[in-house]
Amino acid sequence: MIRAIFPGTFDPIHYGHIDIARRASVIVDELIVAVYDKPLKNSLFTPEQRIELAKQTFIQDSRIMVAGYSGLTVQFCKQVNAQIIVRGLRVFSDFEYEFQMALMNRRQTRDIETVFLMSGFKWFYTSSNLIKEVARFGGTVKGLVPENVHARLMEKFANQNRATD
């Protein structure tokens, strides 16, 4: 059985992530969307909220599981018996960062391969940071995130805006 993980912060999960996960799930037996709990950047949603949003998103996808993790990604791979790390690429600058990360992971263990999937053309410009920024200032992100995520974003920013009034 070939098991892969698709790691990220998913803050929030969006259709670019979903596109990569669903496409990856057809080339492996099982895909784990691995939600990292301690990103270097400030996150909008807690790890538990990000895991729940991802679980709701993939509830109909029997080959996609969702799990949280901390520590090194390669350590998590070993814990769940995953042989592959899936990473999405949108633009050339993504490749530089992802290439460095893949080489560092390879240095940690040679038992795990990194596979890169290009983002679908509809999602090249989509990023969690951009989605949060647009939503924070009242712009529309409908069609970029699933309905459950959209509702949570609107709720989160409505609460933040009330707190600053």
Side-chain angles (χ1 to χ4, degrees):
M1 174 156 129
I2 298 174
R3 179 176 291 139
I5 69 161
F6 176 33
T9 54
F10 304 106
D11 186 43
I13 195 163
H14 55 70
Y15 283 125
H17 296 133
I18 296 164
D19 173 59
I20 295 291
R22 288 191 172 139
R23 289 176 34 228
S25 75
V26 301
I27 58 175
V28 299
D29 297 307
E30 183 177 274
L31 178 75
I32 300 171
V33 173
V35 181
Y36 187 59
D37 71 344
K38 293 182 179 81
L40 296 175
K41 53 194 174 196
N42 291 331
S43 55
L44 179 63
F45 294 105
T46 67
E48 296 78 19
Q49 290 170 327
R50 290 182 278 129
I51 290 166
E52 184 57 33
L53 289 170
K55 282 182 177 180
Q56 291 168 358
T57 299
F58 295 111
I59 200 162
Q60 301 295 326
D61 296 275
S62 62
R63 293 161 55 125
I64 300 176
M65 313 302 149
V66 177
Y69 81 103
S70 59
L72 293 176
T73 301
V74 292
Q75 289 172 340
F76 181 68
C77 284
K78 289 178 180 181
Q79 287 174 356
V80 298
N81 244 357
Q83 303 92 341
I84 297 171
I85 298 171
V86 173
R87 298 298 294 164
L89 297 174
R90 294 172 299 163
V91 292
F92 186 73
S93 58
D94 285 351
F95 178 77
E96 271 187 84
Y97 172 78
E98 294 297 343
F99 184 64
Q100 288 177 337
M101 193 64 95
L103 290 175
M104 183 58 77
N105 287 336
R106 186 83 171 148
R107 183 166 167 46
Q108 303 304 305
T109 181
R110 293 196 148 316
D111 299 334
I112 299 165
E113 294 292 341
T114 301
V115 173
F116 298 105
L117 293 178
M118 291 302 301
S119 179
F121 72 92
K122 286 175 64 174
W123 314 117
F124 276 139
Y125 66 92
T126 308
S127 74
S128 293
N129 286 336
L130 189 55
I131 287 169
K132 287 185 287 192
E133 185 174 346
V134 169
R136 176 177 286 120
F137 293 107
T140 183
V141 294
K142 273 189 177 275
L144 300 176
V145 295
E147 279 302 315
N148 64 318
V149 175
H150 186 265
R152 291 299 300 273
L153 281 167
M154 296 303 99
E155 175 186 315
K156 187 73 112 170
F157 289 121
N159 289 338
Q160 283 185 1
N161 291 338
R162 279 195 291 273
T164 60
D165 288 344

